[in-house]
């Protein structure tokens, strides 16, 4: 079974749209998302355009602030502080990667944790790992929702995460632990990755190596989530060898059309959640 991330994301956006209508009625106001985009890297431009389009589609107030590559760090930090105080802004996202002269950690820590729709602020990272309420990074949240759609009861399942990034691998681990999975985190230096993967009921591949996970690495009936987006001379491929794995796995996300659309839908979800928490 191919997991239709496009369709599931579209359903989530529709639910959010209805929720935003209700919030508008209740508070006479809609959640607002402000995205800061620095420089003109093509992938970031595309992501941000998609985010803006989807935000408007579900009825959010959407704003994109564009800065040139050479902008001073201080101007960005001051702008974030201004947005932190702005009641019309529920969520702030600074598109990564940043130019080298801008300190990513400083930028992330300047965003108010309650407006951190990426869930990257150390306060949100800590809250997630402690099991407290927090913003959850959009990509792992999207993966989690896809997994739950296929298998609502994850009790005791063995999950193998390939990749240990702050963006994906680590928060993914927290989400699956909360669902009582037994989670193994692996990465590019793991000794016998194939043997680890062969144990898994669920594999989340987020390591950035084209088609790393092969058909004979996968247990029959496993759920496979492919977070990879790798440019190769064959075009864009994931971290999973799609054709081989699709013959073995119970369910598998395609690239594109799997995790990608869910990431954006989850950003909108996080914006709505931040708004709701701010009204409490
Ligand atoms: N660049 C690629 N993915 C992301 C993301 O999830 N959040 C931000 N802020 N930048 C990104």
């Amino acid at each position: 079974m191919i997991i239709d991330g496009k369709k599931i994301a579209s359903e989530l956006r529709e639910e959010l749209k209805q929720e935003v209508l209700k919030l508008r009625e209740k508070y006479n106001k809609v959640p607002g998302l402000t995205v800061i985009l620095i420089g003109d890297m093509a992938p970031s431009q595309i992501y941000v355009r998609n985010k803006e389009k989807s935000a408007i589609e579900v009825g959010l107030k959407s704003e994109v602030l564009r800065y040139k590559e050479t902008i001073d760090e201080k101007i960005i930090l001051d702008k974030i502080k201004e947005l932190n105080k702005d009641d019309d802004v529920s969520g702030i996202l600074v598109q990564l990667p940043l130019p080298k002269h801008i300190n990513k950690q400083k930028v992330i820590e300047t965003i108010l944790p309650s407006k951190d729709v990426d869930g990257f602020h150390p306060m949100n990272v800590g809250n997630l790992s402690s099991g407290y309420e927090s913003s959850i990074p959009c990509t792992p949240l999207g993966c989690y929702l896809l997994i739950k759609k296929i298998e609502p009861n994850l009790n005791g399942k063995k999950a193998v995460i390939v990749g240990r990034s702050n963006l994906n691998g680590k928060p993914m681990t927290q989400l699956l632990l909360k669902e009582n999975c037994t989670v193994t985190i692996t990465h590019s230096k793991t000794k016998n990755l194939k043997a680890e993967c062969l144990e898994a009921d669920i594999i989340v591949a987020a390591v950035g190596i084209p088609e790393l996970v092969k058909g004979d690495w996968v247990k029959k009936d496993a759920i496979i989530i492919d977070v990879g987006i790798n440019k190769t001379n064959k075009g864009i491929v994931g971290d999973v060898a799609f054709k081989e794995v699709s013959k073995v796995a119970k369910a598998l996300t395609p690239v594109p059309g799997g995790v990608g659309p869910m990431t954006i839908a989850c950003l909108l979800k996080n914006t709505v959640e931040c708004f709701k928490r701010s009204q409490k």
Side-chain angles (χ1 to χ4, degrees), residues 36 44 47 51 93-97 118 120 137-140 167-168 263 267:
I36 293 180
S44 293
Y47 284 140
K51 286 171 188 173
L93 179 143
V94 180
Q95 183 67 26
L96 304 176
D118 264 324
F120 293 165
C138 308
T139 301
L167 238 79
N168 292 304
T263 297
L267 169 66

Side-chain angles (χ1 to χ4, degrees), residues 13-28:
R13 288 198 306 272
E14 188 51 43
E15 279 169 31
L16 290 168
K17 196 171 171 178
Q18 299 309 319
E19 189 167 10
V20 169
L21 282 174
K22 284 190 193 136
L23 291 170
R24 183 200 279 273
E25 240 170 59
K26 185 164 177 192
Y27 298 107
N28 201 23

Side-chain angles (χ1 to χ4, degrees), residues 104-169:
K104 181 174 85 174
Q105 196 61 16
K106 229 186 207 172
V107 166
I108 289 172
E109 289 183 16
T110 302
I111 299 171
L112 204 62
S114 58
K115 296 193 177 190
D116 167 33
V117 278
D118 264 324
F120 293 165
H121 191 288
M123 179 99 93
N124 281 319
V125 176
N127 279 342
L128 176 62
S129 77
S130 304
Y132 301 137
E133 190 172 72
S134 70
S135 281
I136 298 165
C138 308
T139 301
L141 178 58
C143 295
Y144 166 81
L145 294 176
L146 291 177
I147 296 167
K148 286 284 282 184
K149 199 97 187 171
I150 307 297
E151 182 59 71
N153 181 4
L154 299 177
N155 244 332
K157 298 278 182 204
K158 178 144 172 67
V160 170
I161 318 279
V162 190
R164 56 182 150 177
S165 70
N166 293 334
L167 238 79
N168 292 304

Side-chain angles (χ1 to χ4, degrees), residues 11 48 50 82-83 90 126-127 138 150 152 181 185 200 204 211 235 242:
E11 288 163 4
V48 169
N50 286 336
E82 189 188 312
L83 296 169
S90 324
N127 279 342
C138 308
I150 307 297
C181 288
I185 311 178
V204 180
E211 301 181 317
F242 183 84

